[in-house]
Amino acid sequence: MRAAVTAIASHRRLLLPVLQSFQTSITTNRNRTIVRNIMSEMDPTSFARPRLVTKKVLAKHQREGDGAIVRRCIGRSELKSLDPFLMMDDFSVSPPAGFPDHPHRGFETVTYMTQGGITHQDFAGHKGTIHTGDVQWMTAGKGIIHSEMPAGEGVHKGLQLWINLSSQDKMIEPRYQELLSEDIPSAEQDGAEVRVIAGESMGVRSPVYTRTPTMYLDFSLRPRAQVHQHVPESWNAFAYILEGEGVFGYQNKTPISANHVLVLGPGDGVSVWNKSSKPLRFVLIAGQPLNEPVVQYGPFVMNTQAEIDQTIEDYHYSKNGFEMAKHWRSH
Ligand code: FJE
Ligand code: FE
């Protein structure tokens, strides 16, 4: 039996379909536990080094911008940053609140709407509204000045993630990638649905170009569904629960509820189970760390204090990327 187990294990990929049918025919005999052990080893959905929750933080409400309410996930004191991520807010705005004219330099902002719409206008004449399920992937690079305001009455919600750019990319030309909800690739497997905002999952790939390699997945799990997502070993990863409660890492862990941020430790992938009777929705975000010094002054993120000083000067005198700021105001 030992030899057979070893042989099977070394041919796991080829033999898996055979073994799966084999299992159903053998589970009732007295080799049951052995078969189960083989099967857990064979299970393509488990990882050699599963990522476990190393930190769990409840993102409470705070005020931000002009009267907006945010649950800060990354960027709060307990979770200053998670290289390459600088900040993530779960935001909620109702008029007249919003994020009026402000600059960015040195990183990307990714806005993903969960309810309502946000209208953005920038100093280069770029303007538009993103609605529920849409994504705006904005590479601020050398400089963007814009406003982000609720599109009409009522409550508008979404996630905004700030991804740092490497020193070589901080001063690149600004760029927008906008994806309408219907253009976001999605897939479903046994009650687990994924929307792929960046990277790849369940065999589907996002068209978004990530300058700093990033994975951004929005999972919805029906009761009893589970998901096993590969995440590159060297990347930093976290999850944020939007709705319901989920078991993260190992099957026997205590479920974690909505509005918690979970840092996922080292490993090759993460497993999540919905053991509740309600839907579970969470985002899984991972990125390749830049391992560079970070000096942040509000919406400017550079590598050194000298670069920040330069940025403040550029912004003040409308130069080196802020030229169009001279006579611009949102309307
Ligand atoms: C910003 C204060 C801010 N979280 N979530 C200071 F509020 C902002 C800012 C945002 C923001 C915008 C949206 Cl649409 C969603 C957000 C903070 O605009 F950039 C600085 N520096
Ligand atoms: Fe902004």
Side-chain angles (χ1 to χ4, degrees), residues 126-145:
H126 187 88
K127 186 179 168 169
T129 301
I130 52 169
H131 301 97
T132 311
D134 299 345
V135 177
Q136 182 200 56
W137 197 288
M138 184 187 90
T139 307
K142 65 199 286 197
I144 288 262
I145 303 177

Side-chain angles (χ1 to χ4, degrees), residues 30 76 155 170 303:
R30 42 175 208 287
R76 51 188 303 116
V155 185
K170 285 191 177 294
N303 296 111

Side-chain angles (χ1 to χ4, degrees), residues 99-100 102-104 107 109 111 138 144 146-148 160 162 299:
F99 303 94
H102 61 275
H104 294 277
F107 60 99
T109 69
T111 310
M138 184 187 90
I144 288 262
H146 70 169
S147 67
E148 296 154 290
Q160 187 170 92
W162 290 10

Side-chain angles (χ1 to χ4, degrees), residues 196-322:
V196 185
I197 294 154
E200 187 176 345
S201 179
M202 294 190 201
V204 294
R205 247 201 106 67
S206 163
V208 167
Y209 175 65
T210 61
R211 262 191 186 269
T212 303
T214 300
M215 163 188 276
Y216 191 148
L217 308 172
D218 173 8
F219 284 104
S220 294
L221 270 61
R222 286 209 297 261
R224 287 185 297 284
Q226 51 184 280
V227 69
H228 305 272
Q229 177 60 50
H230 169 76
V231 178
E233 286 257 9
S234 59
W235 292 18
N236 287 325
F238 71 96
Y240 175 67
I241 306 175
L242 286 162
E243 187 191 338
E245 54 177 57
V247 172
F248 287 75
Y250 276 140
Q251 279 243 43
N252 59 357
K253 298 280 179 192
T254 309
I256 303 174
S257 60
N259 305 121
H260 279 93
V261 195
L262 317 174
V263 176
L264 302 163
D268 55 354
V270 62
S271 295
V272 185
W273 294 266
N274 182 1
K275 299 194 171 188
S276 79
S277 56
K278 299 199 176 99
L280 163 67
R281 185 178 181 194
F282 66 94
V283 289
L284 173 63
I285 297 172
Q288 187 171 62
L290 296 168
N291 295 311
E292 288 181 6
V294 175
V295 184
Q296 177 167 2
Y297 180 73
F300 304 139
V301 182
M302 303 302 285
N303 296 111
T304 65
Q305 185 58 46
E307 289 165 353
I308 288 291
D309 295 343
Q310 181 65 52
T311 301
I312 293 166
E313 186 181 313
D314 291 346
Y315 179 55
H316 188 83
Y317 294 105
S318 302
K319 58 189 180 105
N320 294 324
F322 291 116

